[in-house]
Amino acid sequence: MIVMQSLTILSTILIPGLLFIVMLKRDWLPALRTPIDRGVLLGGKAILGPTKTWLGVVVYTLGGGILGALWGIPFAAGWSNLSGYVAPMFDSPLAAVNGATIGFCYAVAELINSFAKRRLGIAPSAEVTGTWRILQRVIELGHGIRAVAILLLIWRLDVALILISVVLGLTVHALTDVLMHRIRLKHR
């Protein structure tokens, strides 16, 4: 049951993430592909860079909200026998808001990561070389799920559920990252 609860949490970032990649590749909603930092520089460096656009924030937030609302249906319908399979934050009248908050939290972690990379002089979508590359990959794969884990801790969710969500989230992110590169939806 706890694994299913974890999957309901992860769906609020995984499904919007996949949709986001498709939207980028098909050039859907080009008006939202405006860089958040609008090209403004801080200390001679981009604040976030051209690849951090409003599209990501909107897709993760709205997508998370829609999935949260869907996971909230058993609660809203009074199907208490299904509630154990859904993460506790979706067993609530605020299921959509909670899903949107998870998606937004994930998107903000992406922005914080990009801000840090720009300060370190790492170009968008670039990787450092040498032994620092391993550290960068670990950070890249985990910053979003770590931010969501902090949110789940703030919400006082069961630590076992959070840990399972982190392990599954990192695993799924690593596997989808490999897949996206293999089918050329992403590039390094």
Side-chain angles (χ1 to χ4, degrees):
M1 216 173 334
I2 197 167
V3 172
M4 182 59 193
Q5 290 179 356
S6 175
L7 292 174
T8 62
I9 294 168
L10 295 175
S11 72
T12 62
I13 51 180
L14 177 62
I15 294 171
L18 294 171
L19 177 62
F20 177 63
I21 297 291
V22 170
M23 293 177 81
L24 286 174
K25 293 301 174 185
R26 296 191 181 244
D27 200 26
W28 292 347
L29 297 176
L32 290 177
R33 290 185 70 173
T34 304
I36 293 170
D37 66 10
R38 298 238 182 228
V40 174
L41 302 179
L42 177 65
K45 299 175 183 174
I47 295 173
L48 299 173
T51 61
K52 294 305 173 200
T53 68
W54 290 109
L55 182 64
V57 176
V58 169
V59 169
Y60 276 101
T61 304
L62 288 179
I66 290 167
L67 285 153
L70 291 173
W71 291 122
I73 288 173
F75 169 81
W79 301 333
S80 59
N81 58 329
L82 294 178
S83 65
Y85 295 97
V86 176
M89 82 283 291
F90 303 128
D91 201 11
S92 156
L94 297 175
V97 172
N98 293 339
T101 303
I102 292 169
F104 182 74
C105 182
Y106 189 89
V108 168
E110 287 281 339
L111 300 177
I112 292 169
N113 183 59
S114 288
F115 178 80
K117 285 171 57 178
R118 297 307 86 77
R119 303 290 62 77
L120 294 170
I122 302 169
S125 302
E127 288 189 342
V128 296
T129 57
T131 55
W132 290 109
R133 183 174 184 220
I134 295 168
L135 178 61
Q136 182 187 1
R137 293 296 300 144
V138 169
I139 292 169
E140 293 279 337
L141 286 174
H143 59 273
I145 195 66
R146 283 191 301 273
V148 170
I150 292 167
L151 176 66
L152 300 178
L153 283 169
I154 291 168
W155 284 346
R156 300 178 186 262
L157 264 64
D158 180 53
V159 174
L161 174 59
I162 296 169
L163 290 174
I164 289 170
S165 298
V166 168
V167 169
L168 284 175
L170 289 172
T171 303
V172 168
H173 193 198
L175 293 173
T176 56
D177 196 53
V178 169
L179 176 65
M180 295 289 188
H181 284 93
R182 286 217 172 123
I183 62 176
R184 293 189 169 97
L185 286 176
K186 286 176 81 176
H187 59 85
R188 285 191 167 76

